[in-house]
Amino acid sequence: MGKVWFVGAGPGDAELITVKGQRLLREAGAIIYAGSLVSKACTLWASEDCDIADSKGMTLDEITGWLIEKAGKHETVIRLQTGDPSLYGALIEMLQPLDAAGIESSVVPGVSSAFASMAAASESMTLPEVTQTVILTRVEGRTPMPDGESLRELAQHKTTLCLFLSITLLHKVRDELLAAGWHDDDAILVVQKASWPDEEKIVRGTIGNIREKCRAEKIASQAMIVVSPTLGARHWKTLKKSKLYDADFTHRFRKAEK
Ligand code: SAH
């Protein structure tokens, strides 16, 4: 029996897969990838005789059935996931049938689109004395949010918020943010297809105008929404510096100058 690897393909740019993920793709006898999101990484690194399938249009049972069947024939079988497999990736739903079938499996992390979006815009999720916390979430769509996790509640913390799977719900994002105490002129960032060569779009706006701006840019899918008190900090005149590099701050690796 072979082993099934759940590999994070990264956000889109084929070079953003991990070295380990790339090695596994080279060694794999069979790969199933998620829709059009990660096809390039497959074709770039997979061997010529690799059995490659697209899971677009397949049900979860069909995908796990495919993985189980291929694990009977190949030593290395890969489920290639977008970004990191632990975020909105149906990982547990796929692991359980593999466990039940007695098939060994492991997960290889990937660069999430949340990080790729911040990189695209040269923004920081954390800033000293501004926010030291990041919330990865979504607004309620067809998938209900558990108690206590509405955007209205989470946004009250005024931390960095990365909203997945929410780009078609910008009206709701605005309503919830305003109810949580944010303002229409607060900064918001939308990145579509972060890291995709030639396809990435970065839209900066305010909570009040972002919907209009995204409509004008025809952005309706594959986009990350970031709301954060750190947005635009690159242009701030006054900035609290990180203690780690502060000349007056002693830590494990350096003694303060004064
Ligand atoms: N596991 C993935 C997320 C899968 S959910 C990760 O870690 O990134 C799919 C959602 O992720 C999309 O609706 C979108 O909000 C976001 N997403 C995925 N790829 C993206 C990209 N390249 N740029 C911006 N957002 C992306």
Side-chain angles (χ1 to χ4, degrees), residues 11-12 37 82-85 87-88 111-114 117 163-166 191-196 222-224:
L37 283 173
T82 74
D84 183 83
L87 288 167
Y88 310 106
V111 176
S112 173
S113 56
S117 296
L163 306 180
F164 292 75
L165 301 158
S166 303
V191 183
Q192 186 183 42
K193 292 199 161 186
S195 87
W196 283 62
Q222 280 173 273
M224 178 66 49

Side-chain angles (χ1 to χ4, degrees), residues 110-137:
V111 176
S112 173
S113 56
F115 301 116
S117 296
M118 295 307 265
S122 301
E123 293 282 1
S124 182
M125 290 200 185
T126 62
L127 261 187
E129 296 179 41
V130 177
T131 185
Q132 296 284 287
T133 305
V134 181
I135 296 176
L136 307 179
T137 187

Side-chain angles (χ1 to χ4, degrees), residues 8 42 55 60 63 75 77 99 118 125 142 147 149 173 177 181 184 186 194 208 210 215 241 257:
C42 280
S55 65
L60 210 65
I63 297 169
E75 206 176 310
V77 175
D99 288 346
M118 295 307 265
M125 290 200 185
R142 278 184 295 178
D147 278 350
E149 293 186 32
V173 170
L177 290 173
D184 258 342
D186 286 334
I210 195 70
R215 192 176 295 158
K241 297 277 160 44
E257 286 167 14

